Amino acid sequence: NKRVIIQVMNKIRISQKLSLIGKTKKQKACIKGLGLKRISDTRVLDGTPENLGMINVVKHMLNVEHIEE
């Protein structure tokens, strides 16, 4: 039997606050993976483990807000 685990994913609003100039390849890739392109660019994402891991890598470059629904 396969068990399906359903988690309630919270929404997260992130906005980029720092430039990518002089940042590592990993940091640039995480910002791109989160869908951000420039300073003050904002996205609303699901709180999946993949997204949270990328946010953790570049947390010093982002403003992060949890959205209650």
Side-chain angles (χ1 to χ4, degrees):
N1 292 339
K2 292 183 180 180
R3 288 195 292 178
V4 179
I5 300 172
I6 299 173
Q7 295 178 345
V8 177
M9 287 184 264
N10 296 328
K11 295 284 187 176
I12 298 172
R13 179 183 294 123
I14 58 170
S15 31
Q16 184 176 342
K17 64 179 182 179
L18 292 179
S19 169
L20 290 176
I21 296 172
K23 302 300 186 249
T24 64
K25 288 181 182 180
K26 184 176 183 179
Q27 290 170 334
K28 289 179 184 180
C30 286
I31 290 289
K32 184 177 178 183
L34 290 167
L36 300 171
K37 296 181 179 177
R38 61 187 63 86
I39 295 176
S40 32
D41 204 1
T42 302
R43 293 283 179 268
V44 176
L45 303 172
D46 291 328
T48 62
E50 295 82 4
N51 287 338
L52 294 175
M54 287 190 282
I55 289 169
N56 192 41
V57 171
V58 291
K59 61 186 172 224
H60 60 285
M61 300 172 60
L62 301 174
N63 286 327
V64 180
E65 301 172 31
H66 295 280
I67 300 174
E68 306 262 341
E69 290 186 3

